[in-house]
Amino acid sequence: VAIDARADGTFAMDYYLGGEGHADAVEVTLQDAQGKTVGEPVSVPVTNGRVTAKISAPKLWTAETPALYTAAVQLKQGATVLHEMKQRFGFRTIEIRRGEGLFVNGQHVLLKGVCHHVAWPTLGRSSSDRIAQLDVGLMQDMNMNAVRMSHYPPDEKFLDLCDEKGLYVLDELTGWQHKYDTDVGRQHVKEMISRDVNHPSIIIWDNGN
């Protein structure tokens, strides 16, 4: 699923099926951070490919207020649930205004952060959940609000922590001085966005260094 949730409470989710079998509907229930249902469940015919909804006065995701929601998605045949999954997301709107800068939910934001490499003195390029926690914690201890993934997408745990703790992320493909504009490059862009699209912490996609 690919979720686009905006600051005004609008929710749109595209879904991609790996074979729906006998399913006839996709149903989505939105939940807040405490697991409480928000609004009414929305059901659409399985052939639609998209679910839309709107809630009033959502808690907004920012680096200072990293409010998270969950979309509980069910593939159904009548009343029977054939498959289900949950996906976290956040309500926020990102804008780049010409001559003004970056705005998150209508508020002007200055990015103060670092470029991040997956590297550790004793483990080299290996990583772990603990190392990701230490890195995110160090950045926030230094009063930073942003991190650039130089020059490759991080493991998903790192992005989960950025969602939870509140760090703006520039997700990036590797490369040196040039963008990827080849068949392989386009596939890499597709794979990065497909994997990471639902992280509210990601505000910019970088194609190349």
Side-chain angles (χ1 to χ4, degrees):
V1 299
I3 294 171
D4 180 14
R6 302 294 181 93
D8 64 358
T10 58
F11 171 91
M13 186 192 80
D14 294 327
Y15 54 86
Y16 304 87
L17 303 175
E20 67 272 17
H22 299 291
D24 51 37
V26 172
E27 184 173 291
V28 178
T29 302
L30 303 184
Q31 302 169 343
D32 64 17
Q34 288 71 46
K36 181 181 177 182
T37 297
V38 178
E40 297 294 327
V42 178
S43 181
V44 299
V46 73
T47 53
N48 271 30
R50 168 169 275 224
V51 179
T52 59
K54 187 165 186 176
I55 69 170
S56 59
K59 294 181 179 178
L60 302 183
W61 193 96
T62 70
E64 294 77 22
T65 61
L68 293 172
Y69 287 77
T70 298
V73 185
Q74 295 183 330
L75 194 61
K76 303 178 76 173
Q77 180 185 15
T80 302
V81 177
L82 304 179
H83 179 70
E84 57 187 336
M85 63 172 290
K86 290 187 174 182
Q87 179 64 64
R88 288 197 316 183
F89 69 96
F91 285 94
R92 88 283 190 273
T93 297
I94 309 299
E95 300 173 88
I96 303 293
R97 298 182 186 174
R98 185 181 181 93
E100 296 183 72
L102 172 69
F103 287 76
V104 179
N105 305 328
Q107 299 295 314
H108 188 222
V109 170
L110 294 177
L111 299 182
K112 300 178 181 181
V114 291
C115 296
H116 179 266
H117 273 296
V118 177
W120 199 253
T122 56
L123 298 175
R125 291 297 187 180
S126 299
S127 187
S128 69
D129 292 355
R130 178 176 173 271
I131 290 174
Q133 291 171 344
L134 289 171
D135 283 354
V136 170
L138 178 61
M139 286 178 238
Q140 293 195 313
D141 286 346
M142 298 170 70
N143 203 31
M144 294 177 178
N145 68 353
V147 56
R148 174 185 167 217
M149 300 292 100
S150 52
H151 310 278
Y152 35 81
D155 63 85
E156 291 185 84
K157 178 61 178 180
F158 187 90
L159 293 174
D160 286 341
L161 288 169
C162 292
D163 294 342
E164 295 166 11
K165 304 296 184 182
L167 276 178
Y168 297 117
V169 173
L170 289 74
D171 206 2
E172 183 170 301
L173 286 175
T174 189
W176 188 250
Q177 307 304 337
H178 299 289
K179 65 182 184 297
Y180 281 125
D181 191 19
T182 62
D183 290 341
V184 172
R186 283 187 286 274
Q187 180 65 24
H188 285 177
V189 170
K190 179 180 178 181
E191 290 176 0
M192 176 177 69
I193 294 176
S194 296
R195 191 197 74 164
D196 296 344
V197 66
N198 295 318
H199 290 281
S201 56
I202 297 174
I203 62 169
I204 292 175
W205 305 101
D206 295 352
N207 181 7
N209 182 12

